[in-house]
Amino acid sequence: MSTLDETFMPLDPANYLNTAEDIAAYLEATLEEDGDDSAAIKRALGYIARSRNFSEIARQSGISREGLYKSLGEDGNPSLSTIIKVAHALGLKIRFEAA
């Protein structure tokens, strides 16, 4: 019998979001699974921002770094304007289609 101490770390999606395609697929999956849960979408955007240079996303979106942290943080509530700005800074477009 082995006495190996196994410690598991929580999965951090930020470690796997390397391309714009990865990011788009992750957001689409989040919307499909949790589309009516704004907290899940905010959490996904936070992971994505951490996967990139957070300061650069803040600069490109025209939002202060602190403001972006606050918006995407656990208690944050980003406006649609913030979400659109972050999406554009990440090279993404937001679109709607008929259900």
Side-chain angles (χ1 to χ4, degrees), residues 52-54 56-63 68 82-93:
R52 300 291 195 212
N53 182 328
F54 207 96
E56 184 63 19
I57 292 169
R59 187 188 66 72
Q60 288 180 0
S61 64
I63 302 169
L68 195 56
T82 297
I83 292 169
I84 291 170
K85 288 176 182 179
V86 169
H88 286 236
L90 293 167
L92 301 173
K93 288 193 258 184

Side-chain angles (χ1 to χ4, degrees), residues 34 38 72 83:
D34 301 309
S38 62
L72 299 179
I83 292 169

Side-chain angles (χ1 to χ4, degrees), residues 14-77:
N15 294 331
Y16 303 95
L17 301 170
N18 300 314
T19 66
E21 290 77 17
D22 293 342
I23 292 169
Y26 178 62
L27 280 172
E28 284 191 30
T30 300
L31 287 170
E32 283 180 24
E33 188 172 315
D34 301 309
D36 60 345
D37 182 2
S38 62
I41 296 164
K42 177 195 62 158
R43 197 169 33 257
L45 286 172
Y47 290 137
I48 292 164
R50 283 193 305 106
S51 77
R52 300 291 195 212
N53 182 328
F54 207 96
S55 296
E56 184 63 19
I57 292 169
R59 187 188 66 72
Q60 288 180 0
S61 64
I63 302 169
S64 73
R65 187 170 189 252
E66 295 78 21
L68 195 56
Y69 268 120
K70 185 175 179 180
S71 289
L72 299 179
E74 191 170 322
D75 295 326
N77 187 15

